[in-house]
Each structure stands twice: as structure tokens, then as C-alpha cells.
Amino acid sequence: QGQRKVMEDMHVIVRLDADAGVQHTPGAVRAGRGLALAGVFDGHGGDKTAKHAARNLPALVHSELMEQGLYQQLSGAAPAAGACAGCEALRASFAGFDRWWSNSGARYDPETKKWDGSGSTAVVGLVHGARLLVANAGDSAALLVRGGGVTRLSTEHKLTNAAEAERVVQEGGLLVEGGRRLKAHKHDLTSINLTRCVRGCTSAPRV
């Protein structure tokens, strides 16, 4: 929270089941049979986007897994080399939340008569058996701690990342103030350094 008036960061840990749907559990979830999902959402400009992402993204992932018939596949044997069962489900879930929240009436405050302008990073881990699938948008990091070592599983989506800065330019964005801030797709985003997030930034998550 730091010096902010409210905590803008949220997290969620749930079990996912084809029959029972999203099951919220207190504390940690043991790896084993079935699927588990954990997510961290670092809000900026307010806490609404992070709150709604933590509340709604698991249900969107569940819906995508059902629609694509992936529960049985993810619970079965190890996929073939190069296969990524669940990748498209995570991409679609991130994009679906972004579309829904960008147009949601829940963003409107009748007291102030203003629309919420917050955004959020998102980093989500989908655990199935001994396998972990990570999707992220923004600069929240996923780290794997194992055997005394630490491995980064995600890429920071910031203008200090040369590949991301180049992508923004290729997609018609404009870098200003020495490449540290961003204006893209007719949305003035010059107060942030993120190139991807859920609502308020550009492009899709990396999975």
C-alpha cells in the first residue's frame, strides 16, 4: 500500500473443477489431482480493476476451460512436446475480462458521476498435476523457488524492455520523454510505464 490511501493490490487462490466450478479456499492449495489457480493483481489509479480481476478472472478461466474441453486433457497424461493445453484459455480469459470491465457499468460511480479510470497488472499461475502454466500482463513477476534457486517465469511488460518498446511502436504507439512513458491507440497513457495490463494498457498477456 505504501503512501496510498487504499490498498490497490489483490490476490486470489482457488481450485478449479469441471463439475464444482470455482472453489475459493483459505490459504495455500496443495498441488495434486485437479486444477488450482493463483493470481496477483497490482492496481494503479485505484483498486477497482484489481478487485474485479481477482473476483472474476477465475470464473472466466473456468468457462474457457469448459468451452475448450480442456479439463480432462489437463488432468491426463503429459501433453506432447510443444503443446500448451490451457494457453489459449488463459489468453482468452485475460482478453475477455479486459473487454467486459472496459464497458462495465460497475466502473461508474453515481455519487461522483465519474467513471473509474484504474487499471491493474495481472500474473496468474494455473497448476495441473506437476505442471505450471503462467500468464502475465504488466510488471508483476512470477518466480519459481526450487532447490535453493530462483527462476523468473514471466517477462516485464514495461518501456524499459526493448522488445516491448519496439512492439508498441510497431502497433502505432508513440513513446515520449525519452521512451519512459507511453501514448498509444488514441488513449493518453503518459502517466504510466506499463505496455500491457488489464484495462488501461495495450495488447494481450504473455503466456
Side-chain angles (χ1 to χ4, degrees), residues 40-41 57 60-61 64 84 86-99 120-125 133-140 153-158 161 164 167 171 195-199 201-207:
V40 173
F41 309 92
L57 198 57
L60 289 171
V61 173
E64 288 294 336
C84 186
C87 285
E88 189 53 41
L90 287 176
R91 291 191 186 98
S93 300
F94 273 57
F97 174 80
D98 191 80
R99 285 193 303 271
S120 178
T121 70
V123 57
V124 171
L133 183 61
V134 173
N136 78 293
D139 61 354
S140 294
L153 303 179
S154 57
T155 299
E156 287 193 343
H157 301 136
K158 302 172 68 172
N161 179 331
E164 279 293 286
R167 180 188 62 80
E171 293 184 4
T195 56
R196 307 190 197 203
C197 63
V198 288
R199 218 216 75 76
C201 301
T202 68
S203 197
R206 180 183 178 92
V207 181

Side-chain angles (χ1 to χ4, degrees), residues 85-206:
C87 285
E88 189 53 41
L90 287 176
R91 291 191 186 98
S93 300
F94 273 57
F97 174 80
D98 191 80
R99 285 193 303 271
W100 168 76
W101 182 237
S102 294
N103 297 286
S104 174
R107 290 182 47 236
Y108 184 73
D109 186 338
E111 293 185 4
T112 62
K113 296 182 179 180
K114 293 182 179 179
W115 288 86
D116 178 74
S118 68
S120 178
T121 70
V123 57
V124 171
L126 179 64
V127 180
H128 51 107
R131 299 184 291 275
L132 170 63
L133 183 61
V134 173
N136 78 293
D139 61 354
S140 294
L143 304 176
L144 175 65
V145 181
R146 180 171 57 184
V150 179
T151 303
R152 179 182 286 271
L153 303 179
S154 57
T155 299
E156 287 193 343
H157 301 136
K158 302 172 68 172
L159 292 178
T160 50
N161 179 331
E164 279 293 286
E166 177 63 22
R167 180 188 62 80
V168 168
V169 172
Q170 291 296 323
E171 293 184 4
L174 175 66
L175 308 184
V176 297
E177 292 192 11
R180 291 186 57 82
R181 296 183 177 184
L182 169 68
K183 182 183 288 185
H185 302 289
K186 300 181 180 179
H187 296 289
D188 189 351
L189 305 175
T190 54
S191 64
I192 62 175
N193 191 30
L194 297 177
T195 56
R196 307 190 197 203
C197 63
V198 288
R199 218 216 75 76
C201 301
T202 68
S203 197
R206 180 183 178 92

Side-chain angles (χ1 to χ4, degrees), residues 23-35:
Q23 301 173 294
H24 290 267
T25 61
V29 174
R30 285 183 176 273
R33 298 185 62 182
L35 278 65

Side-chain angles (χ1 to χ4, degrees), residues 50-73:
K51 279 184 176 179
H52 281 269
R55 187 178 303 159
N56 293 285
L57 198 57
L60 289 171
V61 173
H62 167 68
S63 295
E64 288 294 336
L65 292 174
M66 290 293 291
E67 184 175 328
Q68 298 180 32
L70 290 174
Y71 270 103
Q72 185 175 0
Q73 183 177 350

